[in-house]
């Protein structure tokens, strides 16, 4: 056991150095989390908000494409479901959230 001042200063210096190295060890993890947020989480939530806005603004006679690939015109709108008319006289009931996109008017005539 040594009572010299230089030994005591050396020991406190080692503790400060190890605290600094532990912060540097966490820095890549924090950087990874920030990059993960901006490249994956933020764009996905933005897409979800845009899709929800589109689903909320659906109206009768809108021409839509479903997630399954069916294209048709909305004949009737409910709270959770819409009735999509694929061809004259054939209607299919799908969930509102299954509507992938709204097409410009007159697109179905071109198909």
């Amino acid at each position: 056991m040594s009572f010299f001042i230089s030994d005591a200063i050396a020991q406190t210096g080692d503790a400060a150095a190890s605290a600094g190295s532990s912060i540097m060890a966490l820095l890549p993890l924090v950087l990874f989390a920030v990059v993960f947020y901006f490249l994956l989480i933020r764009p996905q939530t933005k897409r979800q908000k845009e899709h929800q806005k589109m689903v909320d603004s659906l109206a009768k006679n809108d021409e839509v494409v479903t997630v399954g690939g069916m294209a048709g015109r909305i004949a009737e709108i409910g709270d959770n479901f819409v009735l999509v008319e694929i061809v004259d006289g054939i209607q299919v009931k799908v969930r509102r959230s299954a509507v992938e996109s709204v097409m410009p008017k007159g697109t179905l005539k071109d198909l």
Side-chain angles (χ1 to χ4, degrees), residues 14-92:
D14 290 340
S18 67
S21 66
S22 65
I23 291 174
M24 290 303 289
L26 290 177
L27 186 63
L29 293 174
V30 172
L31 183 63
F32 179 73
V34 169
V35 169
F36 188 78
Y37 173 76
F38 280 106
L39 291 181
L40 295 175
I41 297 172
R42 191 167 173 248
Q44 181 64 27
T45 56
K46 185 178 177 182
R47 267 187 243 113
Q48 286 175 342
K49 287 179 184 178
E50 289 173 357
H51 183 258
Q52 186 62 40
K53 184 179 175 184
M54 185 267 308
V55 167
D56 291 339
S57 68
L58 289 175
K60 189 174 178 179
N61 293 326
D62 280 349
E63 296 178 359
V64 296
V65 175
T66 66
V67 174
M70 288 190 297
R73 181 175 287 114
I74 294 179
E76 190 177 312
I77 297 180
D79 291 335
N80 293 323
F81 293 92
V82 294
L83 199 60
V84 179
E85 186 172 9
I86 300 171
V87 295
D88 293 335
I90 298 180
Q91 297 177 343
V92 178

